[in-house]
């Protein structure tokens, strides 16, 4: 019989260690091999070599001391289980050539490499659970360590929307490897911060119960078994599948998850939120949970590992077991790899959506479609209209119902070629007269397919007076709009997906950005900061506009000069940049500030300002004035308007007033909104 050694990280309050225990316990069910168990660290690294194979639960955070390059000296087959798997990539935090076999815990992995094997997460063995009786008040449960992107505040907001009365139980234990760096994110205990945030977000009638108990897996399963619904609305951006849902699935209770990639192994079973509501998840998800229990049973995990070993048996029998011990090599070059990897991966993953692109279809509640939708925009990049079209296209291409195709055109001939090439069912124009002057009704009406135009400078009056001369429908991204015109469709705003991993600055830092026009109120920002602070940094990003101020001579440079002349206090440092940043660099800029402030001319009454969605994305406090272009965020509770509160007060409120927008205008909600619009247009229904 084959003999193996499972090498886990040292015991810790950490999902990596617990996952290692879970894997070992599942493999121990096999009668094809025997498996010993050992926990290792840099002070305890001597192991016996009397084995046919060695299975590591390698992760660079707790096992970064291990010199994996020297594992070739170890006799036998070297296997590692990989927890941190990016979509179709098991090597983001794992050395790619130091192990013989890689067992990636991601059933969605599809990669042509004979060394890589795809495994589901093995669930806990069935427990005898206490009898469940439905409580009078629904109980919604969630848990996880206090790290960014767990979405606990999003869960509270989602419950606020669907329930008049509910109990939300959230368990946030202290983490061995989390607390040492999360403190700097808010300059306070992050576990405490999350608990307070959730309590402040909850409306009257929603009782929030925050606990900090570190529970065993068996205790977690029992805990989940007492919930009406277990719900995880993560929005984090990092490799690997969530371990928290293992115990929720093992409990057999209804389950809801977000569209986040960390749940991609669940999406082929369960339609995620917001495509399925929490109430529908309670009604529909339990049979799907039971299917996962069956498919991911520990014995099935062990059988899959047996098949792997049988394929390698010739290799193992050709190498006789050795006697004695082997000291695993220690090194310095991998120390801190996890922290460095997190810094490298954070911007990379923030550039991608929370929604897995072309992953297994998770829309089990509706039939999938492959219809093509063409989005037409212009080519000048340093322009708000262009950026809006690009942003919505990047989001919509993750749709599972339709194939949204983005195309930039400069004239009717390029448009004709694009239509001929893609044969779309619907055309959406990112239309603005100044940026697309060549487009007219004669061109759009020469095509029989539905023509939709985005109305950027939308006001109630413009929407009411819109005609069908040029477009069949006008897409109006204004949540405050009252739809009276049958050719007008109100659409959601779009907050770019982003997780703020940047430490809160020690010195109050007030940020703002936008093209350098006089009516953007940058001078007012400088004056306001000086009224309230003696020591502060002001950072303004003021790029040139390609359409009307390409060299900055007409507006931006003069605005910057006026701002600099207003600085009177020695403790106030003003930094102005005219760089045009990529979307992710812009989000990093906003994320690095204590608060972001926008004070447009109060008389401006045009379309909705897109700057707000960028500021919302970074989970920092936001201050505005009562300009009409901010009408979609004017009525927050508490207020974020400087007419009602000062900057210090708005900073002290944190993101509490902003949380409802995070769900309402998430990328998933935006996609769902557009899919419903296209559905109705193609069905010929009145919108």
């Amino acid at each position: 019989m084959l003999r193996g050694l499972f090498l886990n990280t040292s015991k810790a309050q950490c999902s990596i260690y617990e996952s290692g225990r879970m894997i070992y316990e599942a493999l121990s069910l096999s009668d094809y091999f025997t498996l010993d168990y050992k926990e290792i660290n840099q002070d305890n690294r001597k192991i016996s070599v009397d084995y046919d194979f060695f299975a590591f639960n390698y992760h660079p955070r707790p096992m970064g001391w291990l010199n994996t390059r020297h594992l070739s000296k170890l006799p036998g087959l070297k296997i590692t289980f990989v927890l941190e798997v990016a979509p179709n990539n098991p090597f983001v935090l794992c050395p790619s050539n130091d192990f013989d076999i890689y067992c990636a815990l991601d059933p969605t992995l599809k990669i042509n490499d004979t060394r890589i094997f795809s495994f589901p997460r093995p669930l806990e063995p069935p427990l005898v659970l206490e009898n469940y009786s439905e409580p009078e008040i629904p109980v919604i449960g969630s848990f996880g360590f206090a790290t960014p992107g767990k979405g606990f505040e999003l869960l509270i907001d989602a419950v606020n929307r669907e329930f008049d009365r509910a109990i939300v139980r959230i368990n946030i234990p202290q983490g061995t490897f989390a607390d040492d760096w999360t403190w700097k994110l808010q300059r306070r205990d992050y576990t405490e911060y999350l608990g307070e945030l959730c309590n402040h977000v909850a409306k009257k009638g929603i009782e929030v119960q925050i606990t900090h108990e570190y529970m065993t897996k068996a205790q977690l399963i029992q805990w989940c078994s007492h919930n009406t619904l277990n719900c995880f609305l993560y929005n984090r951006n990092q490799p690997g599948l969530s371990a928290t849902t293992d115990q929720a699935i093992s409990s057999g209770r209804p389950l809801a998850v977000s569209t986040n990639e960390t749940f991609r192994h669940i999406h082929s079973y369960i339609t995620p939120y917001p495509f399925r509501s929490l109430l529908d998840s309670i009604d529909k998800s339990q049979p799907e949970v039971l299917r996962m229990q069956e498919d991911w049973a520990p014995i099935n995990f062990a059988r899959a590992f047996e098949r792997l070993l049988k394929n390698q048996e010739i290799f193992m029998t050709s190498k006789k077991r050795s006697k004695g011990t082997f000291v695993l090599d220690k090194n310095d070059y991998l120390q801190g790899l996890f922290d460095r990897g997190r810094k490298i991966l954070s911007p990379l993953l923030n550039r991608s959506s929370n929604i897995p692109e072309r992953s297994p279809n998770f829309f089990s509640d509706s039939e999938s479609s492959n219809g093509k939708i063409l989005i037409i925009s212009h080519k000048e990049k340093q322009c708000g209209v262009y950026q809006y079209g690009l942003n919505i296209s990047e989001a919509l291409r993750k749709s599972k119902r339709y194939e949204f195709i983005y195309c930039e055109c400069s004239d009717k001939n390029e448009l004709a070629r694009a239509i001929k090439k893609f044969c779309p069912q619907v055309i959406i124009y990112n239309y603005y007269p100044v940026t697309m002057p060549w487009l007219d009704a004669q061109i759009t009406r020469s095509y029989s397919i539905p023509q939709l135009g985005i109305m950027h400078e939308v006001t109630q009056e413009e929407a009411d007076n819109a005609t069908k001369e040029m477009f069949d429908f006008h897409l109006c991204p204004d949540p405050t709009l009252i739809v009276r015109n049958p050719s007008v469709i109100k659409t959601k705003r779009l907050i770019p997906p982003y997780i703020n991993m940047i430490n809160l600055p020690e010195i109050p830092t007030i940020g703002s950005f936008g093209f350098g026009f006089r009516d953007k109120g940058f001078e007012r920002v400088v004056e306001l900061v000086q009224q309230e602070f003696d020591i502060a940094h002001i950072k303004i990003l003021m790029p040139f506009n390609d359409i009307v101020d390409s060299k900055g001579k007409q507006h931006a440079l003069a605005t910057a000069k006026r701002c600099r002349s207003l600085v009177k206090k020695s403790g106030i440092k003003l930094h102005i940049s005219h760089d045009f940043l990529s979307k992710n660099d812009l989000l990093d800029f906003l994320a690095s500030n204590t608060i972001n402030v926008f004070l447009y001319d109060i008389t401006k009454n045009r379309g909705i300002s897109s700057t707000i969605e960028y500021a919302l994305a970074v989970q920092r406090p936001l201050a505005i004035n009562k300009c009409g272009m901010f009408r979609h965020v004017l009525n927050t509770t508490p207020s974020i308007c400087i007419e009602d509160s000062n900057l210090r007060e708005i900073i002290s409120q944190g993101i509490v007033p902003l949380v409802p927008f995070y769900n309402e205008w998430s990328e998933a909600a935006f996609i769902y909104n557009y899919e419903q619009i296209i559905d109705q247009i193609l069905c010929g229904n009145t919108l």
Side-chain angles (χ1 to χ4, degrees):
M1 178 178 288
L2 293 175
R3 187 164 179 246
L5 176 64
F6 189 89
L7 297 159
N8 198 12
T9 63
S10 293
K11 187 173 183 178
Q13 292 186 189
C14 164
S15 61
I16 299 166
Y17 169 80
E18 294 294 347
S19 293
R21 288 292 311 177
M22 174 186 67
I23 294 167
Y24 168 72
E25 289 163 7
L27 295 178
S28 297
L29 299 174
S30 174
D31 54 10
Y32 176 68
F33 56 86
T34 62
L35 190 64
D36 292 338
Y37 177 86
K38 183 177 178 64
E39 294 174 6
I40 57 174
N41 57 46
Q42 55 189 328
D43 299 318
N44 179 23
R45 49 197 174 92
K46 182 186 292 186
I47 62 174
S48 169
V49 295
D50 189 18
Y51 295 99
D52 298 295
F53 65 89
F54 300 85
F56 290 79
N57 178 31
Y58 177 80
H59 190 285
R61 179 82 185 211
M63 212 180 278
W65 55 268
L66 176 63
N67 190 339
T68 57
R69 293 180 298 180
H70 290 182
L71 288 179
S72 59
K73 300 175 183 177
L74 183 65
L77 187 69
K78 278 75 71 176
I79 302 169
T80 187
F81 287 89
V82 186
L83 301 177
E84 305 286 14
V85 183
N88 271 344
N89 183 4
F91 299 127
V92 286
L93 289 177
C94 184
S96 60
N97 294 307
D98 297 347
F99 296 93
D100 301 315
I101 297 294
Y102 295 83
C103 298
L105 267 64
D106 183 350
T108 71
L109 192 68
K110 299 183 187 305
I111 188 168
N112 187 23
D113 189 324
T114 56
R115 303 171 302 154
I116 300 170
F117 293 81
S118 175
F119 283 78
R121 294 189 61 85
L123 299 177
E124 303 302 317
L127 300 177
V128 178
L129 300 174
E130 300 170 11
N131 290 331
Y132 179 82
S133 58
E134 199 69 53
E136 179 182 348
I137 300 175
V139 178
I140 317 298
S142 191
F143 65 91
F145 291 114
T147 53
K150 291 297 174 66
F152 295 133
E153 70 279 9
L154 303 181
L155 170 60
I156 301 298
D157 176 70
V159 172
N160 285 348
R161 294 168 185 268
E162 297 191 41
F163 297 86
D164 294 322
R165 293 186 67 199
I167 296 171
V168 183
R169 302 199 303 160
I170 302 177
N171 188 59
I172 313 174
Q174 299 289 335
T176 301
F177 297 109
D179 299 336
D180 59 346
W181 62 270
T182 54
W183 185 90
K184 294 181 180 179
L185 295 175
Q186 291 292 330
R187 296 285 162 191
R188 57 177 298 191
D189 182 274
Y190 202 71
T191 304
E192 182 183 283
Y193 163 76
L194 289 177
E196 289 184 9
L197 175 61
C198 289
N199 274 295
H200 287 311
V201 170
K203 71 177 185 181
K204 185 178 180 181
I206 305 301
E207 178 185 346
V208 178
Q209 299 177 355
I210 303 292
T211 55
H212 303 290
E213 181 182 359
Y214 185 82
M215 291 182 269
T216 66
K217 289 178 285 186
Q219 289 171 328
L220 276 172
I221 294 171
Q222 291 285 358
W223 187 88
C224 290
S225 73
H226 292 286
N227 297 328
T228 308
L229 175 71
N230 292 298
C231 185
F232 304 91
L233 300 187
Y234 289 14
N235 61 342
R236 69 185 188 183
N237 281 316
Q238 67 184 61
L241 302 181
S242 170
T244 56
T245 49
D246 296 342
Q247 287 76 46
I249 295 168
S250 293
S251 75
R253 299 298 301 149
L255 175 66
V257 297
S258 67
T259 58
N260 192 267
E261 288 188 345
T262 199
F263 303 122
R264 59 186 178 272
H265 57 312
I266 295 174
H267 291 154
S268 59
Y269 293 86
I270 288 180
T271 302
Y273 182 86
F275 295 88
R276 178 189 280 177
S277 68
L278 301 188
L279 288 168
D280 279 348
S281 294
I282 293 172
D283 292 338
K284 297 178 180 180
S285 67
Q286 197 163 24
E288 300 160 343
V289 170
L290 297 179
R291 270 186 57 212
M292 284 186 280
Q293 282 187 354
E294 181 179 349
D295 291 350
W296 301 345
I299 190 61
N300 292 335
F301 187 90
R303 296 288 180 259
F305 193 73
E306 288 175 1
R307 291 191 293 271
L308 182 159
L309 291 181
K310 287 176 182 178
N311 289 333
Q312 303 293 326
E313 194 165 4
I314 295 177
F315 171 83
M316 287 184 287
T317 55
S318 68
K319 294 181 177 291
K320 294 183 179 181
R321 296 178 192 164
S322 302
K323 297 294 183 181
T325 59
F326 181 88
V327 179
L328 296 167
D329 281 344
K330 187 173 66 169
N331 63 31
D332 296 324
Y333 84 98
L334 278 179
Q335 290 289 357
L337 174 62
F338 182 83
D339 290 324
R340 294 199 302 274
R342 177 168 57 84
K343 292 177 182 177
I344 295 169
L345 284 167
S346 179
L348 172 65
L349 292 170
N350 271 326
R351 286 184 172 86
S352 63
S353 167
N354 287 324
I355 300 177
E357 183 181 358
R358 303 297 173 197
S359 67
N361 177 32
F362 53 60
F363 297 98
S364 56
D365 287 352
S366 59
E367 186 177 349
S368 179
S369 171
N370 291 318
K372 294 180 179 180
I373 312 300
L374 189 59
I375 300 176
I376 301 296
S377 191
H378 62 280
K379 297 182 179 181
E380 291 77 15
K381 292 179 172 54
Q382 293 189 203
C383 159
V385 174
Y386 176 91
Q387 295 301 320
Y388 180 85
L390 192 64
N391 288 344
I392 69 167
S393 299
E394 288 178 353
L396 291 173
R397 69 183 175 84
K398 285 97 177 175
S399 169
K400 303 302 178 294
R401 285 192 53 73
Y402 297 101
E403 183 181 355
F404 286 85
I405 301 167
Y406 176 78
C407 187
E408 296 175 4
C409 297
S410 297
D411 55 45
K412 65 178 182 179
N413 295 325
E414 290 185 359
L415 173 64
R417 287 194 291 271
I419 294 173
K420 183 178 180 180
K421 177 179 179 180
F422 296 111
C423 300
Q425 290 183 290
V426 175
I427 302 177
I428 299 173
Y429 297 91
N430 183 37
Y431 178 72
Y432 191 63
V434 176
T435 61
M436 208 175 283
W438 55 268
L439 189 69
D440 57 29
Q442 184 177 357
I443 295 173
T444 59
R445 289 310 173 197
S446 65
Y447 299 103
S448 59
I449 55 181
Q451 308 279 305
L452 282 61
I454 296 172
M455 185 182 288
H456 286 278
E457 299 291 357
V458 58
T459 63
Q460 188 66 55
E461 182 181 4
E462 290 288 335
D464 290 345
N465 294 327
T467 71
K468 290 197 172 188
E469 178 185 359
M470 192 165 175
F471 303 114
D472 297 298
F473 295 100
H474 299 268
L475 301 176
C476 298
D478 182 352
T480 70
L481 196 67
I482 300 171
V483 178
R484 306 187 183 106
N485 185 337
S487 68
V488 164
I489 303 171
K490 182 167 65 174
T491 64
K492 290 183 179 291
R493 302 298 301 181
L494 172 63
I495 298 177
Y498 182 86
I499 295 298
N500 192 341
M501 303 288 283
I502 298 176
N503 296 335
L504 189 69
E506 296 184 40
I507 296 175
T509 302
I510 293 81
S512 191
F513 84 97
F515 295 117
F517 304 134
R518 196 180 191 108
D519 57 7
K520 290 295 178 71
F522 294 124
E523 299 93 335
R524 178 67 178 130
V525 172
V526 175
E527 292 173 337
L528 190 64
V529 171
Q530 291 189 107
Q531 289 174 16
E532 293 193 42
F533 297 90
D534 293 323
I535 298 176
H537 293 170
I538 305 172
K539 298 193 306 182
I540 300 177
L541 186 63
M542 197 185 301
F544 304 152
N545 185 294
D546 269 354
I547 305 299
V548 297
D549 192 28
S550 60
K551 303 296 184 181
K553 295 179 180 179
Q554 299 298 316
H555 300 282
L557 295 176
T559 300
K561 184 177 181 179
R562 289 194 300 272
C563 288
R564 292 188 179 100
S565 70
L566 293 171
V567 177
K568 306 299 181 185
K569 292 183 176 181
S570 60
I572 302 299
K573 307 300 181 184
L574 173 62
H575 176 75
I576 297 176
S577 170
H578 297 294
D579 294 336
F580 186 84
L581 302 183
S582 67
K583 180 172 72 174
N584 205 72
D585 288 341
L586 171 59
L587 293 171
D588 285 344
F589 165 82
L590 295 169
S592 67
N593 301 323
T594 308
I595 187 173
N596 293 293
V597 182
F598 302 93
L599 306 177
Y600 287 11
D601 189 329
I602 203 71
T603 63
K604 285 172 71 76
N605 185 28
R606 297 162 58 189
I608 296 289
S609 170
S610 294
T611 59
I612 299 302
E613 282 77 61
Y614 291 101
L616 288 171
V618 302
Q619 304 106 40
R620 290 287 191 227
L622 169 66
I624 58 171
N625 64 347
K626 294 185 178 181
C627 171
M629 294 182 72
F630 306 141
R631 56 188 177 272
H632 58 316
V633 292
L634 285 179
N635 298 318
T636 62
T637 304
S639 176
I640 59 172
C641 297
I642 60 167
E643 292 87 347
D644 303 320
S645 303
N646 61 40
L647 291 182
R648 290 184 183 274
E649 290 170 340
I650 296 173
I651 290 171
S652 70
Q653 293 164 184
I655 63 170
V656 170
L658 312 179
V659 170
F661 303 128
Y662 298 159
N663 272 331
E664 183 67 22
W665 301 333
S666 70
E667 188 175 64
F670 183 84
I671 293 170
Y672 190 32
N673 180 220
Y674 261 72
E675 287 178 346
Q676 290 177 310
I677 291 170
I678 301 299
D679 284 348
Q680 297 217 35
I681 288 174
L682 293 180
C683 289
N685 295 338
T686 302
L687 291 155

